[in-house]
Amino acid sequence: MTTEGGVQYSKIAEIKGPLVVVDDVENAAFDELVEIETTEGERRLGKVLEVGNGKAIVQVFEGTTGLSISGTKAKFVGKVMEMPVSKEVLGRVFDGLGRPKDGLPDPIADKFIDINGEPMNPEQREYPKDFIQTGVSVIDGLMTLVRGQKLPIFSGSGMSHNLLAAQIARQASVVGTQDDFAVVFAAIGVQYSEAEYFRRSLEESGALKRSVLFLNTADDPAIERIITPRVALTVAEYLAFDLGMHVLVVMTDMTNYAEALREISAAREEVPGRKGYPGYLYTDLSTIYERAGKLNGRKGSVTQVPILSMPSDDITHPIPDLTGYITEGQIVVGRDLFRQGIYPPINILMSLSRLMKDGIGEGSTRDDHSEVANQVYDAYSRSQEVRALAGIVGKAGLTEIDLKYMDVGDTFEKEFLTQATDENRTIEETLGLLWKIVSKLPKNEITKIKDKFVDQYYKEE
Amino acid sequence: MGQRHPLTSNSALETTIDKILNNTEKDILSNIKLALGESQQKLEDSIPKLESEYDKIISDGKKEADKIEKQIIGSSDIEARNKQLMILEEAVNRVFTKALDQIANADKSGDYSNLIKTLLDESTQILDTSEITVFTNAKDRDVVQSALSQFSGAELSPDTIDCLGGIIVKSKDGAMTFDNTIDARIERLKPLIRKDIASKFGVGN
């Protein structure tokens, strides 16, 4: 914080999309915060995107609607955008730019932190290996989330990913440790009703007191969305690395973020990349996703579950495609399962948690976890093949073992996958259900589990 | 048809009836025994199921109770914290108002002209020009006017501004403005001052 700064310039050369070009600017820095004052005295925030030749290009977060070249003033504040942080942010609701939205005053800040974050020293990074229980069986059992991981959820428009996001935010916890746990929830460009659902859902479940909400709704200016994940992650990093908490950051919907980025890129007349997204989309997304992790010698961790809706359910679309290169696996929400009314409709055959193997087993979940999960993956995959075959030859043409696999597939979807939105299953319950599915197979079909575990947990019906 | 002896015929009938009764009784008893056995077996078989149902109901009940407890505690904590924040904010605002009143009524002699010189110095450096127009409030016009003698190219605007003290400096081409009033400086420092005031109330330590 400085007592200086605050030179106001009144020569606006151009207003273009979300950008304002200011003339005769002597001193401005890249990313510097700018206060735009309209002729009516209304104030908006922006940041410097480019400086040089006496000009500064300012990106206005709240949009440029209503601004005019004459009468608009741009005050260069002399610092980058900062978020005031303290333990008091827990239980609070902010807008997409980090301003209180719950009718309470600004938090009394312990620190003001640059929202762009500080890159983690790769040498200081600690390998993520501790289990986070989400209470959602399919995630805990088959694509386990670990502290410090970034595990996105790929969904299609209109599917139940927001219900899942809220359920994870309500139920997530760290087991086997007394460490504090917090949830930072960033809603990016969601509908007002969805934002309200997230707020009410956390409030009514009592989870709000350990959560921080950032709500950028669809009617907020699109450009604000560029800031929302950064502000949320700044708070998450403070809670994790200054206060030693384990923080789960849920961000929905990253597609809206990428679209805001495309809007700025188009306004700057940059050469468009795939589907009009800027060429630096990968780099930009990585500056968000790479803020997840754990550091050697520090107690806390930042775990990310970004949610992104795939336009036309297309997993090869640039946003999920580039996200997939950065993150450690993905959870894919399936349209077929959604149509069948299954919740959560997660297609396990397209999903994967790359760090799962290090977060499960003896001392974390249970020693048989990895093997029973592999067996269920195998059995469900086989059941899908049998279903396809049944579609051609009919059920009568199937063998007895084929029918058993079909039964496994049905039980998996109806009893394991299907879960109420307020049902919080422990990892023991989840593993019990996995064994129930495995136990539908004859013992000689169980090839991926050690005999000692089969003897211990297999229960023939 | 010959006449039968009444006793003989009665006794045969009774014997038959007795037989039937015995057989029926046996049947009934055996059926009852069987049914009892079956019922006992069923009862025995259903005990583990009932026990597991019972355990499930108890565990579901506990889960629900835990959930409700968390909800109640969570919302009460939030409510209490929110009230505390509002009270604190009110107190901080009162401190601010009083402090600003005191600044407004403070005696502006002696060091105040040095402060104006410092503010002018700072402003010309930030704007990078001494070709400036200076604005101040009606009270401070004389002090600012005398300080301006040291800044060639600077002139005092005939218009006055409404502020506690200090100056606003504008480049003569009108392109740049720097607000160096006491009000603006306090506003810039407000987040830090709020923290200091809050710590006096024992918050944030």
Side-chain angles (χ1 to χ4, degrees), chain A residues 1 3 5-10 88 90-92 104-106 108-110 112 204-205 209 422 424 429, chain B residues 63 67 70-71 77-78 81-82 85-86 89 126-127 174-178 188-189 191-192 194-195 203:
Chain A
M1 176 79 24
T3 55
V7 178
Q8 196 175 61
Y9 294 88
S10 51
E88 266 183 34
L90 287 168
R92 298 290 307 269
L104 294 169
D106 279 329
I108 306 273
D110 265 351
F112 293 84
E204 285 170 1
S205 65
K209 72 170 185 175
D422 62 348
N424 188 359
E429 286 172 319
Chain B
K63 272 188 181 174
K67 217 160 80 178
K70 271 184 193 165
Q71 281 172 16
D77 279 355
I78 292 269
R81 202 277 317 266
N82 289 354
L85 281 180
M86 292 307 282
E89 188 64 13
I126 285 171
L127 293 187
M176 293 183 285
T177 310
F178 180 60
R188 290 199 282 265
L189 278 171
L192 293 180
R194 274 179 83 225
K195 188 191 169 192
V203 178

Side-chain angles (χ1 to χ4, degrees), chain A residues 176-246:
Chain A
T177 165
Q178 295 302 307
D179 293 349
D180 285 331
F181 184 77
V183 174
V184 173
F185 194 98
I188 308 161
V190 299
Q191 289 171 17
Y192 179 76
S193 56
E194 288 171 320
E196 264 305 289
Y197 169 74
F198 291 133
R199 195 188 56 75
R200 227 181 28 248
S201 149
L202 287 171
E203 208 170 71
E204 285 170 1
S205 65
L208 184 62
K209 72 170 185 175
R210 52 146 211 201
S211 313
V212 192
L213 260 84
F214 293 90
L215 302 179
N216 168 272
T217 50
D219 59 342
D220 289 327
I223 301 306
E224 248 186 57
R225 282 159 213 160
I226 297 292
I227 294 300
T228 310
R230 295 189 162 82
V231 171
L233 284 164
T234 304
V235 168
E237 283 164 350
Y238 170 78
L239 294 173
F241 304 124
D242 284 55
L243 303 184
M245 302 173 94
H246 296 297

Side-chain angles (χ1 to χ4, degrees), chain A residues 64-340:
Chain A
T64 51
T65 314
L67 293 186
S68 68
I69 288 179
S70 61
T72 298
K73 291 166 187 161
K75 183 166 154 189
F76 290 69
V77 177
K79 57 176 183 173
V80 294
M81 191 165 177
E82 292 172 336
M83 175 71 194
V85 289
S86 70
K87 202 175 180 179
E88 266 183 34
V89 293
L90 287 168
R92 298 290 307 269
V93 183
F94 299 95
D95 71 1
L97 294 180
R99 297 171 299 201
K101 207 180 177 165
D102 48 10
L104 294 169
D106 279 329
I108 306 273
D110 265 351
K111 265 182 166 184
F112 293 84
I113 307 178
D114 176 0
I115 63 152
N116 297 302
E118 212 176 296
M120 285 187 198
N121 180 351
E123 199 263 332
Q124 289 290 305
R125 275 188 185 267
E126 197 179 307
Y127 197 82
K129 56 181 184 331
D130 304 302
F131 169 59
I132 289 183
Q133 185 176 291
T134 63
V136 178
S137 279
V138 64
I139 298 177
D140 294 347
L142 299 177
M143 49 208 75
T144 315
L145 184 63
V146 296
R147 283 177 233 162
Q149 185 178 9
K150 38 197 178 292
L151 187 62
I153 297 177
F154 294 170
S155 183
S157 54
M159 288 207 270
S160 43
H161 49 269
N162 283 335
L163 283 181
L164 182 62
Q167 186 170 12
I168 294 172
R170 279 195 313 268
Q171 296 180 174
S173 62
V174 285
V175 283
T177 165
Q178 295 302 307
D179 293 349
D180 285 331
F181 184 77
V183 174
V184 173
F185 194 98
I188 308 161
V190 299
Q191 289 171 17
Y192 179 76
S193 56
E194 288 171 320
E196 264 305 289
Y197 169 74
F198 291 133
R199 195 188 56 75
R200 227 181 28 248
S201 149
L202 287 171
E203 208 170 71
E204 285 170 1
S205 65
L208 184 62
K209 72 170 185 175
R210 52 146 211 201
S211 313
V212 192
L213 260 84
F214 293 90
L215 302 179
N216 168 272
T217 50
D219 59 342
D220 289 327
I223 301 306
E224 248 186 57
R225 282 159 213 160
I226 297 292
I227 294 300
T228 310
R230 295 189 162 82
V231 171
L233 284 164
T234 304
V235 168
E237 283 164 350
Y238 170 78
L239 294 173
F241 304 124
D242 284 55
L243 303 184
M245 302 173 94
H246 296 297
V247 187
L248 175 67
V249 185
V250 181
M251 297 184 287
T252 181
D253 180 335
M254 286 303 287
T255 301
N256 294 335
Y257 169 83
E259 269 158 20
L261 204 64
R262 179 164 66 174
E263 199 175 314
I264 299 170
S265 172
R268 290 172 75 179
E269 292 175 1
E270 289 169 342
V271 178
R274 275 167 66 197
K275 300 218 183 218
Y277 292 96
Y280 50 81
L281 180 64
Y282 175 86
T283 318
D284 192 280
L285 288 174
S286 73
T287 62
I288 293 174
Y289 298 142
E290 289 295 348
R291 288 173 79 170
K294 279 179 82 181
L295 290 171
N296 282 324
R298 301 269 193 104
K299 209 171 144 198
S301 60
V302 174
T303 309
Q304 277 187 33
V305 178
I307 295 170
L308 41 103
S309 54
M310 301 175 286
S312 318
D313 291 1
D314 176 14
I315 204 163
T316 65
H317 185 276
I319 306 169
D321 188 28
L322 297 177
T323 297
Y325 285 117
I326 307 165
T327 54
E328 292 125 356
Q330 73 277 329
I331 295 170
V332 181
V333 179
R335 182 72 66 185
D336 286 347
L337 293 167
F338 175 69
R339 281 201 191 112
Q340 288 172 48

